[in-house]
Amino acid sequence: MRTMGGEQVEEAVASAVALLRTAVDRDWETARAGRLEWSCRYTAEHVAGDLIAYAGQLAGRATDAYVPFEITFDEGTDNAGVLHVIETTCALLAATLRTTPREVRAFHPYPYRSANREGFAAMGIAEVFLHTHDIAEGLGLAYEPPARLCADVLALLFPHVQPGPDPWRTLLWATGRGDLPGRAPVTEWRWRNNLVIPAERLTLQGVTPAAATDLAAGGDGGFEWVGGGPFQGTRDAAGMLLKAYEGGVHRPDWGVFALVRREDGLAVGGMGFHGPPDEDGRVEIGYDLAEAARGHGYATEALRALSAWALARDEVTSVFATTERANVASQAVITRAGFTRVAGDEGQLAYELRG
């Protein structure tokens, strides 16, 4: 799949700095940055601060809060010097992204209190793109970042936002910086890093629309899979997630999760919801495992964890799972996870777990 890492952060910063360097002789201190209350100068300093903060979170393996440091500019630093600091902090973040293992997660408050290296890369790029837009608007400059990177940022950080034909305009709208025909103005927003649910031997890692796109097309979705790849059911579920995203009805909390083994970081299967809870508070779970991972209790462990997470939500009253009558192994998984059989016919059996 298309990666989001150091190279992409460098590309984003290079395009932004190239534009802003054409205006270093302007007064950034008194010019207001677009719709922000900040000056263009302060906004540029903020970008540098974000880039180094994200590098610090990953390098310092922060788990509960931001690493307590910040950068300051020497007195007398001019606009060209500010851009030099942005380039330097970009290099530090890019280097950190390249040397941080995929499974490392560090603290970020929104919305699940952690992000992996791909999330921090996407957030860094978003900060660069959006605040360069703010500065450019304040200075009367035209700015158009790479559409491909904008689409990737949307797919990673805005999975709840329906993508549009123009990724940059969609990103501006999603962050309250522009209008889109047929969509109400955005006044409050947060980006959303993927949800990760811990289990004993596994972590259930939310599949983003970016990963789902790759999985549905036959790729690995950015995961390293046991036995060479996911079972077909995981690819089918990714395809349904992608359709929901493209239709603007994807709810990330009720999507698909890759089951990643803690001991080696290998994905062993997929599990997820068939959709959000219905009006009666019922939600249904489906799952599969790669053939090489079967027989170790992974599905039972993951089903317990995901069911418990769902039942802890106020809008959920019960969790359902169905399986083919002939699939005795799946029936055993569901039963061991605490479900009770509630219905059945010639082909399917249904099970329920209530809180």
Side-chain angles (χ1 to χ4, degrees):
M1 64 177 289
R2 288 204 311 236
T3 59
M4 184 70 81
E7 181 179 343
Q8 289 70 35
V9 173
E10 290 169 337
E11 179 184 353
V13 169
S15 68
V17 169
L19 173 70
L20 297 179
R21 190 165 280 130
T22 65
V24 292
D25 58 341
R26 305 272 294 278
D27 181 3
W28 292 12
E29 194 65 63
T30 59
R32 177 176 167 177
R35 303 184 185 189
L36 303 181
E37 297 297 328
W38 301 343
S39 70
C40 290
R41 164 78 178 211
Y42 179 83
T43 304
E45 293 179 358
H46 173 80
V47 170
D50 280 337
L51 295 176
I52 193 62
Y54 292 161
Q57 291 303 95
L58 283 174
R61 304 294 196 263
T63 58
D64 300 318
Y66 281 106
V67 178
F69 78 100
E70 61 183 4
I71 60 172
T72 58
F73 288 72
D74 290 345
E75 186 176 349
T77 300
D78 59 10
N79 294 336
V82 172
L83 295 182
H84 189 197
V85 175
I86 290 175
E87 291 175 314
T88 302
T89 54
C90 165
L92 292 170
L93 176 56
T96 303
L97 292 168
R98 292 187 175 107
T99 56
T100 299
R102 185 196 179 281
E103 290 305 303
V104 169
R105 297 187 73 86
F107 174 83
H108 188 276
Y110 306 118
Y112 305 116
R113 300 183 67 78
S114 75
N116 62 10
R117 66 185 185 190
E118 191 172 43
F120 279 105
M123 289 187 289
I125 291 170
E127 294 283 358
V128 170
F129 283 171
L130 295 172
H131 288 316
T132 299
H133 163 80
D134 297 332
I135 297 169
E137 195 172 60
L139 298 176
L141 304 173
Y143 178 58
E144 186 86 17
R148 170 182 51 83
L149 286 182
C150 293
D152 290 346
V153 167
L154 285 167
L156 282 165
L157 298 181
F158 295 86
H160 53 295
V161 171
Q162 182 178 18
D166 187 329
W168 175 227
R169 300 294 176 268
T170 303
L171 182 58
L172 290 176
W173 169 81
T175 57
R177 289 171 167 82
D179 299 318
L180 279 183
R183 302 199 198 186
V186 172
T187 57
E188 294 184 1
W189 61 274
R190 293 287 188 196
W191 50 48
R192 301 173 64 94
N193 282 289
N194 67 321
L195 171 63
V196 174
I197 300 172
E200 182 180 352
R201 296 172 296 165
L202 307 170
T203 57
L204 284 64
Q205 301 185 14
V207 173
T208 65
T213 300
D214 190 61
L215 283 169
D220 59 17
F223 300 94
E224 185 177 354
W225 292 85
V226 67
F231 199 67
Q232 185 59 41
T234 297
R235 297 197 187 281
D236 294 342
M240 290 186 285
L241 185 158
L242 182 59
K243 288 182 180 179
Y245 172 62
E246 292 173 342
V249 295
H250 175 49
R251 290 181 61 184
D253 291 1
W254 306 104
V256 180
F257 298 81
L259 312 182
V260 179
R261 199 159 56 190
R262 290 180 184 273
E263 66 180 28
D264 55 13
L266 295 180
V268 299
M271 182 173 289
F273 300 102
H274 290 195
D278 64 18
E279 60 185 12
D280 296 321
R282 167 178 162 164
V283 66
E284 185 173 352
I285 291 178
Y287 61 90
D288 65 25
L289 288 182
E291 292 187 14
R294 295 174 185 174
H296 300 281
Y298 294 135
T300 300
E301 179 182 324
L303 185 55
R304 285 173 178 158
L306 191 57
S307 299
W309 181 88
L311 289 170
R313 306 290 291 265
D314 291 339
E315 64 266 43
V316 175
T317 59
S318 61
V319 180
F320 278 75
T322 61
T323 186
E324 295 178 357
R325 183 177 289 273
N327 193 340
V328 176
S330 183
Q331 294 165 31
V333 167
I334 296 170
T335 302
R336 286 195 299 267
F339 285 68
T340 301
R341 180 177 163 184
V342 293
D345 56 30
E346 292 184 359
Q348 294 279 325
L349 299 176
Y351 295 81
E352 179 187 40
L353 181 65
R354 303 188 72 87

